[in-house]
Amino acid sequence: MSLYHNERILREIFATLTDFTASHEEVLTFMTPDYRQCVDGQGMTLNDFQTHTLALRNALWSLSIGIQQIVCEGNKAATVHVAHATRHSGTEKLIKVVAFYYFWEGGICLVNELTHVL
């Protein structure tokens, strides 16, 4: 896969994650069936990730993700991005994320990320 392809996948998945009118199943089309994610040392499977995205959509009124930096090399990519979440109550949170992605056969197979509440 080209570097542009991997960058496009990341931008598309962020757009889909933040579009609450899109079906949450659309997000899963970007991942491989054996997808794994590690967030702040906690592991997640594809099913866990699906549960997490549904919980976010139920708890939040809006979510936006601004990519500050993105680097792609071979089957790997990295981002530094900031998520801006607004709950139904109006409470807002900014979370800075440093994430590393691994791609396999056109999909994301592994994400390793660290988060920091700003």
Side-chain angles (χ1 to χ4, degrees):
M1 289 292 137
S2 76
L3 301 181
Y4 298 111
H5 175 78
N6 293 344
E7 181 176 343
R8 191 181 82 241
I9 287 176
L10 291 175
R11 291 186 185 279
E12 287 177 7
I13 194 170
F14 285 166
T16 304
L17 277 170
T18 58
D19 178 3
F20 289 3
T21 64
S23 113
H24 74 277
E25 287 88 7
E26 285 183 58
V27 174
L28 303 180
T29 64
F30 297 98
M31 279 81 162
T32 61
D34 62 343
Y35 174 83
R36 294 288 183 268
Q37 183 170 349
C38 183
V39 180
D40 300 331
Q42 299 298 310
M44 258 193 255
T45 65
L46 187 59
N47 286 338
D48 296 331
F49 180 77
Q50 183 176 18
T51 301
H52 172 67
T53 58
L54 285 172
L56 282 178
R57 287 181 176 214
N58 288 329
L60 300 178
W61 181 75
S62 70
L63 175 66
S64 64
I65 298 173
I67 298 174
Q68 295 180 329
Q69 298 170 332
I70 187 167
V71 177
C72 297
E73 180 182 290
N75 70 332
K76 297 179 281 284
T79 62
V80 176
H81 59 273
V82 175
H84 178 209
T86 305
R87 293 190 174 276
H88 294 288
S89 66
T91 305
E92 297 183 35
K93 216 174 237 189
L94 288 175
I95 303 163
K96 186 171 188 173
V97 181
V98 177
F100 292 88
Y101 310 84
Y102 297 88
F103 297 85
W104 183 255
E105 296 183 356
I108 301 170
C109 64
L110 179 66
V111 179
N112 188 357
E113 63 184 31
L114 292 173
T115 64
H116 175 71
V117 177
L118 298 175

